Amino acid sequence: MKKITFTLLIGLICVVTIFAQAPKTFKYQAIARDNTGNIISNQIVSFQISIVEGDAGGISIYTETHDITTSEFGLVNLEIGNGELVSGTFETIDWGSNSYFLQIEMDENGGINYLLLEHLNC
């Protein structure tokens, strides 16, 4: 009985260790819409994603861009941390040291004229 209990304890420690590591990337999914609310389907749109430290108006510590074609329903799937690097280093963000916000900007024409869509608390 002691041997089984010990094995379970080691297994639980390993699971906790695996889940305690910082993410290398994370997913973001949205429906792209134009400024009148119409779905943008089957079109290239550009996103600029920033990780902002402290509060929604804080300093950007990481920024990347994504050019992606929307689905027929306007759906886009982004993998934050795998975009085209603009500034910062995603892997060195100390997620436990402060509050962080995800700043989402989009250019519905696939260019670099980004408009702020939202700030999300990370």
Side-chain angles (χ1 to χ4, degrees):
M1 185 67 177
K2 289 182 183 180
K3 187 174 187 180
I4 294 171
T5 305
F6 180 72
T7 304
L8 285 174
L9 181 59
I10 295 298
L12 288 174
I13 290 171
C14 291
V15 170
V16 170
T17 302
I18 290 169
F19 287 117
Q21 296 178 9
K24 294 184 181 181
T25 64
F26 60 90
K27 309 275 186 200
Y28 177 80
Q29 186 176 67
I31 301 295
R33 296 179 181 269
D34 65 18
N35 60 358
T36 60
N38 296 316
I39 290 175
I40 302 170
S41 62
N42 300 315
Q43 180 179 318
I44 295 175
V45 294
S46 299
F47 285 89
Q48 181 166 278
I49 310 295
S50 299
I51 308 289
V52 179
E53 187 173 23
D55 59 44
I59 296 171
S60 172
I61 60 168
Y62 175 80
T63 302
E64 68 182 27
T65 59
H66 295 261
D67 296 328
I68 189 165
T69 302
T70 61
S71 74
E72 65 180 301
F73 306 107
L75 181 67
V76 294
N77 290 295
L78 305 178
E79 195 167 308
I80 310 302
N82 269 347
E84 184 70 32
L85 181 64
V86 174
S87 65
T89 306
F90 188 83
E91 293 82 18
T92 61
I93 298 172
D94 184 3
W95 297 100
S97 69
N98 205 340
S99 295
Y100 294 94
F101 291 81
L102 192 62
Q103 179 175 295
I104 310 293
E105 298 171 276
M106 184 182 84
D107 182 339
E108 66 184 66
N109 298 310
I112 57 170
N113 296 315
Y114 301 107
L115 296 176
L116 179 63
L117 298 180
E118 63 185 335
H119 283 99
L120 302 171
N121 194 351
C122 293

